[in-house]
Amino acid sequence: MSMNNSPNVFLDPNANRFQVNIINESHDNNETPQEDVGSDPPHYEETSFTDEAHNRLRISYRPGKRELYDNFLQNGEKTEASLHPYDTHNKMYYLQTFGHNTMDPVPKIDYYRNTGSVSGNKLSRPSLLEIHEQLAKNIAVSTGSVERVANGESTTGDETVSKEEENRTGFVKFGWVKGVLVRCMLNIWGVMLFIRLSWIVGQAGIGLGVIIILLATIVTSITGLSTSAIATNGFIRGGGAYYLISRSLGPEFGGSIGLIFAFANAVAVAMYVVGFAETVVELLKESDTLMVDESNDIRIIGTITVVCLLGISVAGMEWEAKAQVILLIVLLVAIANFFIGTVIPTSNEKKARGFFNYQASIFAENFGPGFRSGEGFFSVFAIFFPAATGILAGANISGDLKDPQSAIPKGTMLAIVITTVAYIGVAVCVASCVVRDATGNINDTVLLGMSCNGSSACGLGYDFSRCASQPCDYGLMNNFQVMSMVSGFGPLITAGIFSATLSSALASLVSAPKVFQALCKDNVYTGLHFFAKGYGKNNEPIRGYVLTFVIAMAFILIAELNTIAPIISNFFLASYALINFSCFHASYAKSPGWRPAFRYYNMWVSLFGALLCCGVMFVINWWAALITYAIELFLYIYVTYKKPDVNWGSSTQALYYVNALDSALALTTVEDHVKNFRPQCIALTGAPMIRPALLDITHTFTKNNGLCICCEVYTGPRKLCIKEMNSGMAKKQAWLTKNKRKAFYTAVAADSFRDGVKSLLQASGLGRMKPNTLVIGFKKDWRNATATQVENYVGVIHDAFDFELGMIIVRISQGFDISQVLQVQEELEKLEQERLALEATIRENDFEEGKRGICGFFRKAKTLNISKHETKKDSTINTMQSMHVGEFNQKLLEASTQFKKMQGKGSIDIWWLFDDGGLTILIPYILTIRKKWRNCKLRIFTGGKVNRIEEEKLVMASLLSKFRIKFADINIICDINIKPSKESWKFFEEMIEPYRLHESCKDITTAEKLKRETPWKITDAELEAFKEKSYRQVRLNELLQEHSRAANLIVLSLPVARKGAVSDYLYMAWLEILSKNLPPVLLVRGNHKNVLTFYS
């Protein structure tokens, strides 16, 4: 039976993001599958399986629907993640994850949440102990609760409670436009745009003025890229720059820079308010209504203004956001008014004040620098730079954004582009229209016969030469209100100045307490915890507002804008330097937890940005830079000494691992964090040269990333074992070094293979560099091995689970052991050395023959015997070469090097059937970031229910998107619970037949005797008890043959056998049938503890 898309399959038929075709729903063995023409997959082994296709599910994007799918991922929509049983035909059976009979849960986002998550409730998956050990009688398990937990459902309705609480408290969340773009633009277009940009371009000229703007833009753009990378590496909370730095570099750097950054924002409030007050005082001055004098009027107006802004801030973020939007509209109108004013014909009054519309002579005159009053390039840059510091205005309220990961990169980078274009446009236009000096006297015209100083104003009919000897009040250098004069309607520019300064002051007044509150909440400085308390529905930091008000008032009393601006430049530059260094440091540490969704960054560019910020700090004001770093160093030492009890999984911890030998002692003091999880593997390779393919695949996902220990177990007489072990240690470690394998070699002598591995699992590693994953090759010869050998092999798997290690079983078609090939090669090399030695002996004998007369006769005879012996050995060499190379050397050698080769375009198929903490998905992700595997795409296969296909696909897509793991396709397999074909099941029964007890066919006495004599055999009761699980393994192989036979690599959830319930031979039969006749297979099972996180 075939089914096309129908409305009852999807949640919303009008919003289908994928095309789903379900083929062959029934279990009819007579149907012939359709095969793709020209896509003949490679054959790995002979197979007796049927080629039928059962319930194949193929999913592809519909044309034009990818955008809807991306929107779903960005918006983080939630769907039910649980899978429920469904009615099927009578030939189907049920699984708990897909229906019944197991506690194994499906992958779900709630297992990876932090305990205090506000975006959802953390669920606890069954531990590995619960699904591996026999069910304890003293543990009461409710069927309903187990079913809900196994399917990832909360048993208390926490999700609903959380949402109700959120709705009741009324959190205000902003999008990227209102929360980031608007806020950043308003903060960047601050006081400098209208009342200092004309002065800056007058001092530096058009050429250097544009360079000043671009230099500031380079610093802010690099910092914006670094901020975007850090902000998209998981969920971020409130705290802005402090949160980004502290979670990347740790509390030492974060705590020191957080205090400085909060202080800088508080001082910025004073700077913007003073800019606003200057404009008001200019208006009062024009109307001759000053209250006291200019400086005191600035202080009075500034005090009144900051009190009003404090009132708006305390009223809440809703009012502050509404005010910001209104201010932006006013600001945009004012900027447009300025550009319109430059083309409106000027009047005589404006000409007297230096405005002549666009003039080439003015452009040429103002292009070069004209520094005065001791100003220089970097002093002017120091005054301008705070105008570019608004890039973190959006990040500073990260806790109030709906989706900080998406909002911060888009809003910040777009704001930088828009504001830079506006700054350059205004600078060039104003410097092309207005001269540097003007008297403002309309009678200062050039009369006939008068001499002039040759300035552009002279050419335009005005003589402003007296400005060279006495102060003038107008022109770029003297009048801070040039833009009001140039504009089409002056009051609009005044309104724009008010809007720019007040919006920037308001943003800083909000940012400083928010950053400071986040710092205090983390309790990095215990004495400041008083300011952590919040009030109201948005947890407003009222105490922080009051502190910011006090700091701002102190600097408003300075009443000099050009004095305040350089003070905060160094503080902002120090913050930017550490943000850039954080991005570099996190990239350099190469932690698998560093997976930013924002890709347009480079670690070396971030490092350059950090160094550039440091350099600019010293060029602007070297002593202020030294003071800034001295304060930062003091705070760093203080936090290091106090050692706050926090664990944020910083990249500093990751770098401890990279430099493990030098930092092993320091590393032991650092707690583990899921973000820095990496596979640290014990690989049971024996001697590393014996199983190179097993080492290669392990080394692929541990190289430069995790610990890899090649282990060998010696069994037999203890003295001989220890002697052999000790003599080979250096040789085998040297082999690893010579072959550029970043791995350690260790060996152990034990009474049995299992005892040796058990010792390795317990004792290997040093401090935090302790293995967490066991990698072994599949025991291909298990059917020919003794019962003890099989028991030891399966026992090793049980021991790994007991010690809570992840487990990876690797299977390739030819097997791993090339000891026979190496033995032949070694024998050939030895014979070749003997042959060369014999030839040398013969030459020496021939030389002596002529000297010794009669003795030469006997020498000759001896030589003849040697020659015969040599011929015999040559014959032996040729025979061995033809035998071994001809029979197995070629295929075996090719198989042993397959993971060293560059993998072509293809796929890594991940059959993530059970949630094991994420190891099953992390291993293939790490492979894809390796050079050899980067051309392979990830295809995800997971189980699902036939009438919930679309929901299950969206749930898995959402989960992977939160982990920032890219995938090419998701396939929902809804027919796992169908019985396998008769041919496949017959093959399985024939395979286990030699190991069955068949006690049901015998009398009780005989059956009991057989059980005592052969306890390792599979009983009829056991086979019946686990019949459905056996069905599952056989059916999975059919599905693997159908979907993944052409894959480069298959990563598959490893089934777990309960100790004491599943016999060793039945478990080996499961592994055999599950991975037979396939490409290289990794059977993976994590220890059911999170190895992935979507938090930053």
Side-chain angles (χ1 to χ4, degrees):
M1 172 177 93
S2 62
M3 273 173 56
N4 294 327
N5 298 336
S6 58
N8 63 340
V9 176
F10 303 100
L11 291 174
D12 183 1
N14 297 323
N16 292 335
R17 298 173 175 85
F18 312 101
Q19 180 178 353
V20 181
N21 296 317
I22 306 170
I23 303 172
N24 194 20
E25 176 71 2
S26 68
H27 188 270
D28 187 357
N29 292 338
N30 296 324
E31 289 188 26
T32 304
Q34 295 180 356
E35 297 183 357
D36 296 334
V37 179
S39 59
D40 187 23
H43 295 280
Y44 294 91
E45 292 179 0
E46 292 182 1
T47 176
S48 61
F49 286 16
T50 179
D51 290 327
E52 291 179 63
H54 299 283
N55 286 20
R56 181 169 55 201
L57 175 62
R58 294 183 178 178
I59 299 177
S60 59
Y61 300 115
R62 284 185 172 182
K65 298 298 182 183
R66 179 71 196 220
E67 183 178 356
L68 289 172
Y69 172 73
D70 288 338
N71 289 337
F72 160 77
L73 297 182
Q74 290 293 333
N75 296 330
E77 296 171 13
K78 298 181 180 178
T79 60
E80 180 79 33
S82 59
L83 301 169
H84 298 283
Y86 60 97
D87 296 330
T88 61
H89 302 291
N90 56 6
K91 290 188 178 181
M92 297 184 182
Y93 70 103
Y94 293 90
L95 314 175
Q96 169 64 44
T97 302
F98 315 109
H100 292 286
N101 296 340
T102 178
M103 291 176 64
D104 244 351
V106 295
K108 186 175 181 181
I109 193 69
D110 293 325
Y111 293 128
Y112 301 87
R113 297 190 186 279
N114 283 344
T115 303
S117 174
V118 296
S119 59
N121 298 287
K122 176 178 174 61
L123 297 182
S124 296
R125 71 176 66 82
S127 68
L128 188 60
L129 188 68
E130 290 173 344
I131 68 169
H132 182 226
E133 293 284 356
Q134 288 184 320
L135 289 174
K137 293 182 180 180
N138 60 345
I139 300 177
V141 182
S142 169
T143 304
S145 64
V146 170
E147 192 169 331
R148 286 192 297 272
V149 172
N151 288 298
E153 298 175 4
S154 172
T155 59
T156 59
D158 291 336
E159 185 76 16
T160 305
V161 173
S162 176
K163 289 182 178 179
E164 288 176 357
E165 183 178 354
E166 182 174 327
N167 293 333
R168 184 175 67 250
T169 54
F171 289 105
V172 179
K173 298 290 184 179
F174 305 112
W176 74 274
V177 175
K178 196 173 181 181
V180 182
L181 179 63
V182 171
R183 196 172 297 274
C184 286
M185 288 173 61
L186 284 170
N187 216 20
I188 295 172
W189 280 335
V191 64
M192 298 299 170
L193 178 62
F194 294 104
I195 62 177
R196 281 296 183 276
L197 190 57
S198 59
W199 177 86
I200 288 169
V201 77
Q203 290 277 359
I206 295 174
L208 290 181
V210 171
I211 291 175
I212 286 173
I213 296 171
L214 292 178
L215 179 59
T217 301
I218 290 173
V219 174
T220 57
S221 296
I222 295 175
T223 306
L225 294 175
S226 300
T227 303
S228 300
I230 299 172
T232 58
N233 191 49
F235 289 166
I236 64 172
R237 299 190 179 94
Y242 159 72
Y243 187 90
L244 300 179
I245 295 172
S246 62
R247 268 52 177 183
S248 294
L249 293 178
E252 295 84 2
F253 281 105
S256 57
I257 204 61
L259 210 56
I260 293 175
F261 188 74
F263 181 76
N265 273 281
V267 177
V269 175
M271 182 185 75
Y272 296 125
V273 168
V274 168
F276 168 80
E278 279 190 4
T279 305
V280 175
V281 169
E282 285 292 331
L283 295 176
L284 294 176
K285 187 178 176 182
E286 289 178 4
S287 59
D288 197 26
T289 55
L290 289 175
M291 291 176 282
V292 185
D293 54 49
E294 290 188 25
S295 297
N296 286 315
D297 281 9
I298 289 175
R299 295 184 181 103
I300 295 170
I301 296 170
T303 301
I304 297 172
T305 303
V306 78
V307 169
C308 295
L309 294 177
L310 179 63
I312 295 175
S313 301
V314 171
M317 291 293 292
E318 291 175 282
W319 288 96
E320 188 263 353
K322 292 174 182 177
Q324 293 280 29
V325 172
I326 296 172
L327 292 173
L328 177 62
I329 295 173
V330 174
L331 186 57
L332 292 174
V333 171
I335 293 173
N337 176 51
F338 163 77
F339 286 108
I340 293 171
T342 58
V343 297
I344 296 176
T346 184
S347 63
N348 290 333
E349 182 179 359
K350 289 185 177 181
K351 287 182 179 180
R353 296 183 177 184
F355 173 50
F356 296 91
N357 293 116
Y358 292 103
Q359 300 292 336
S361 59
I362 297 178
F363 178 89
E365 184 180 71
N366 289 341
F367 189 86
F371 296 113
R372 301 179 190 174
S373 306
E375 300 290 351
F377 177 84
F378 287 103
S379 65
V380 173
F381 175 80
I383 293 172
F384 173 78
F385 186 80
T389 57
I391 62 168
L392 295 179
N396 287 340
I397 63 161
S398 53
D400 297 301
L401 299 175
K402 291 179 182 176
D403 184 9
Q405 286 184 297
S406 172
I408 292 175
K410 287 193 295 187
T412 302
M413 299 311 298
L414 185 58
I416 290 174
V417 172
I418 294 173
T419 54
T420 299
V421 171
Y423 271 131
I424 292 176
V426 171
V428 173
C429 289
V430 75
S432 301
C433 299
V434 183
V435 296
R436 283 192 167 99
D437 297 289
T439 60
N441 189 344
I442 60 175
N443 296 320
D444 286 342
T445 56
V446 178
L447 301 177
L448 190 62
M450 285 183 60
S451 61
C452 195
N453 58 6
S455 66
S456 58
C458 290
L460 295 170
Y462 281 82
D463 179 19
F464 301 142
S465 57
R466 63 187 176 94
C467 291
S469 57
Q470 64 184 52
C472 291
D473 295 328
Y474 299 97
L476 296 175
M477 305 292 280
N478 309 303
N479 183 14
F480 292 150
Q481 305 297 326
V482 165
M483 289 188 67
S484 296
M485 175 188 67
V486 173
S487 65
F489 184 62
L492 274 181
I493 294 296
T494 303
I497 295 172
F498 290 172
S499 173
T501 52
L502 293 178
S503 63
S504 298
L506 194 57
S508 296
L509 188 58
V510 170
S511 297
K514 292 279 187 182
V515 172
F516 192 65
Q517 184 187 35
L519 174 66
C520 297
K521 276 185 176 180
D522 288 335
N523 208 22
V524 175
Y525 302 101
T526 54
L528 299 177
H529 192 66
F530 171 81
F531 294 97
K533 182 174 176 59
Y535 298 85
K537 60 186 178 183
N538 260 47
N539 196 32
E540 295 293 344
I542 303 299
R543 297 174 181 178
Y545 285 131
V546 174
L547 180 62
T548 303
F549 170 80
V550 172
I551 295 172
M553 281 300 305
F555 281 86
I556 286 172
L557 296 178
I558 297 176
E560 182 58 47
L561 188 62
N562 289 9
T563 303
I564 300 173
I567 294 175
I568 64 172
S569 290
N570 272 303
F571 288 160
F572 279 120
L573 280 167
S575 304
Y576 292 175
L578 276 182
I579 289 175
N580 286 311
F581 185 73
S582 298
C583 183
F584 165 79
H585 199 272
S587 302
Y588 184 75
K590 299 178 181 177
S591 169
W594 175 249
R595 300 188 302 275
F598 185 83
R599 298 294 181 185
Y600 304 102
Y601 76 97
N602 180 276
M603 59 183 288
W604 301 111
V605 172
S606 296
L607 179 61
F608 170 76
L611 296 175
L612 181 62
C613 290
C614 295
V616 171
M617 284 177 66
F618 281 93
V619 170
I620 289 177
N621 193 322
W622 65 269
W623 58 266
L626 288 176
I627 293 174
T628 301
Y629 280 114
I631 296 172
E632 185 178 334
L633 181 61
F634 170 79
L635 295 174
Y636 178 89
I637 295 173
Y638 173 82
V639 176
T640 304
Y641 175 77
K642 288 293 184 180
K643 294 180 182 177
D645 186 21
V646 293
N647 179 27
W648 296 325
S650 67
S651 59
T652 304
Q653 296 175 14
L655 202 58
Y656 279 151
Y657 183 88
V658 176
N659 300 320
L661 286 178
D662 297 330
S663 306
L665 186 59
L667 193 61
T668 58
T669 65
V670 179
E671 294 183 18
D672 290 330
H673 192 281
V674 61
K675 197 170 68 176
N676 289 328
F677 175 87
R678 62 191 73 224
Q680 303 189 94
C681 299
I682 281 186
L684 299 185
T685 59
M689 64 283 291
I690 297 297
R691 295 176 179 82
L694 184 60
L695 173 60
D696 288 339
I697 188 63
T698 306
H699 189 254
T700 301
F701 53 78
T702 61
K703 180 183 179 183
N704 297 329
N705 188 55
L707 178 67
C708 180
I709 304 177
C710 299
C711 297
E712 186 171 8
V713 178
Y714 288 87
T715 57
R718 186 170 181 80
K719 288 186 178 180
L720 292 177
C721 288
I722 292 176
K723 182 178 179 181
E724 184 181 357
M725 180 180 69
N726 292 338
S727 63
M729 293 284 285
K731 176 184 176 183
K732 291 164 184 175
Q733 184 64 56
W735 185 90
L736 290 170
T737 305
K738 180 182 178 182
N739 288 272
K740 298 181 180 179
R741 296 291 180 268
K742 295 185 177 181
F744 299 98
Y745 170 80
T746 190
V748 65
D751 295 333
S752 69
F753 175 72
R754 182 178 182 181
D755 289 341
V757 176
K758 194 181 297 185
S759 299
L760 289 167
L761 295 179
Q762 294 178 86
S764 297
L766 177 65
R768 298 297 177 196
M769 296 175 62
K770 190 172 183 63
N772 54 35
T773 306
L774 175 63
V775 182
I776 61 174
F778 178 72
K779 190 171 182 61
K780 191 178 179 183
D781 63 345
W782 65 276
R783 281 181 278 186
N784 300 322
T786 64
T788 302
Q789 290 174 329
V790 174
E791 181 184 0
N792 282 335
Y793 182 83
V794 177
V796 165
I797 300 174
H798 288 306
D799 292 337
F801 290 147
D802 288 339
F803 295 133
E804 295 190 336
L805 268 69
M807 188 74 209
I808 300 176
I809 300 177
V810 188
R811 182 174 186 179
I812 59 176
S813 59
Q814 296 297 326
F816 293 103
D817 192 343
I818 63 168
S819 56
Q820 290 181 320
V821 177
L822 296 177
Q823 186 178 352
V824 171
Q825 291 177 345
E826 186 179 350
E827 186 65 25
L828 291 175
E829 291 175 1
K830 188 183 295 184
L831 292 175
E832 179 66 16
Q833 291 174 358
E834 290 182 6
R835 188 182 67 82
L836 293 174
L838 286 170
E839 287 181 354
T841 303
I842 292 172
R843 284 194 299 269
E844 289 178 3
N845 290 337
D846 289 341
F847 180 74
E848 295 289 338
E849 185 178 341
K851 296 183 177 180
R852 300 192 178 182
I854 189 69
C855 295
F857 174 80
F858 298 101
R859 294 278 186 181
K860 194 170 186 180
K862 187 175 180 181
T863 302
L864 186 61
N865 289 333
I866 292 172
S867 298
K868 289 181 180 179
H869 184 64
E870 178 186 355
T871 304
K872 182 179 179 181
K873 290 200 172 186
D874 286 343
S875 176
T876 303
I877 292 172
N878 292 333
T879 302
M880 293 179 70
Q881 281 182 322
S882 61
M883 178 183 69
H884 290 285
V885 174
E887 290 181 4
F888 62 84
N889 278 14
Q890 190 62 35
K891 287 185 178 180
L892 198 54
L893 284 174
E894 287 180 0
S896 68
T897 60
Q898 62 180 303
F899 297 124
K900 291 182 180 178
K901 300 175 183 177
M902 182 71 71
Q903 303 294 319
K905 289 186 177 180
S907 68
I908 298 176
D909 286 3
I910 306 170
W911 290 70
W912 196 11
L913 303 178
F914 305 111
D915 195 324
D916 60 349
L919 188 65
T920 306
I921 201 76
L922 180 63
I923 293 295
Y925 164 76
I926 295 175
L927 289 177
T928 58
I929 64 177
R930 302 302 186 192
K931 184 178 180 181
K932 291 183 176 64
W933 292 87
R934 63 186 176 187
N935 293 325
C936 294
K937 306 296 184 183
L938 297 183
R939 295 199 307 163
I940 313 298
F941 295 82
T942 190
K945 176 172 169 277
V946 69
N947 58 356
R948 289 172 56 85
I949 295 170
E950 180 70 4
E951 295 180 31
E952 306 300 349
K953 179 164 179 51
L954 294 180
V955 167
M956 179 57 68
S958 175
L959 177 63
L960 294 174
S961 69
K962 289 179 183 297
F963 290 143
R964 290 93 63 201
I965 292 177
K966 294 183 178 179
F967 56 89
D969 193 15
I970 294 178
N971 297 272
I972 307 299
I973 307 299
C974 57
D975 55 352
I976 297 177
N977 52 349
I978 295 178
K979 287 184 179 180
S981 66
K982 294 179 180 179
E983 292 83 353
S984 300
W985 183 247
K986 182 180 179 182
F987 178 86
F988 180 77
E989 289 182 321
E990 291 175 352
M991 181 172 61
I992 64 174
E993 180 61 30
Y995 316 107
R996 292 188 61 182
L997 192 64
H998 289 295
E999 78 278 6
S1000 60
C1001 301
K1002 301 176 179 63
D1003 59 79
I1004 298 175
T1005 304
T1006 306
E1008 291 299 326
K1009 181 181 178 182
L1010 288 174
K1011 286 181 181 180
R1012 288 193 300 270
E1013 292 176 352
T1014 55
W1016 46 268
K1017 282 198 172 184
I1018 305 170
T1019 65
D1020 293 340
E1022 177 192 355
L1023 191 61
E1024 183 63 29
F1026 293 102
K1027 191 172 185 179
E1028 292 184 349
K1029 198 163 186 178
S1030 299
Y1031 280 163
R1032 186 194 312 168
Q1033 315 310 324
V1034 179
R1035 177 58 185 153
L1036 277 172
N1037 185 270
E1038 292 180 342
L1039 293 169
L1040 286 162
Q1041 297 282 348
E1042 178 185 348
H1043 293 282
S1044 300
R1045 192 170 174 82
N1048 295 54
L1049 181 70
I1050 298 173
V1051 181
L1052 177 65
S1053 293
L1054 172 68
V1056 177
R1058 291 190 182 274
K1059 289 191 300 183
V1062 179
S1063 63
D1064 298 335
Y1065 277 93
L1066 180 58
Y1067 187 57
M1068 289 303 300
W1070 286 351
L1071 300 184
E1072 171 74 31
I1073 201 70
L1074 186 60
S1075 59
K1076 187 175 178 61
N1077 307 323
L1078 292 169
V1081 177
L1082 301 186
L1083 294 164
V1084 181
R1085 172 69 71 156
N1087 65 356
H1088 285 234
K1089 295 179 181 177
N1090 288 350
V1091 300
L1092 293 173
T1093 181
F1094 54 89
Y1095 295 99
S1096 60

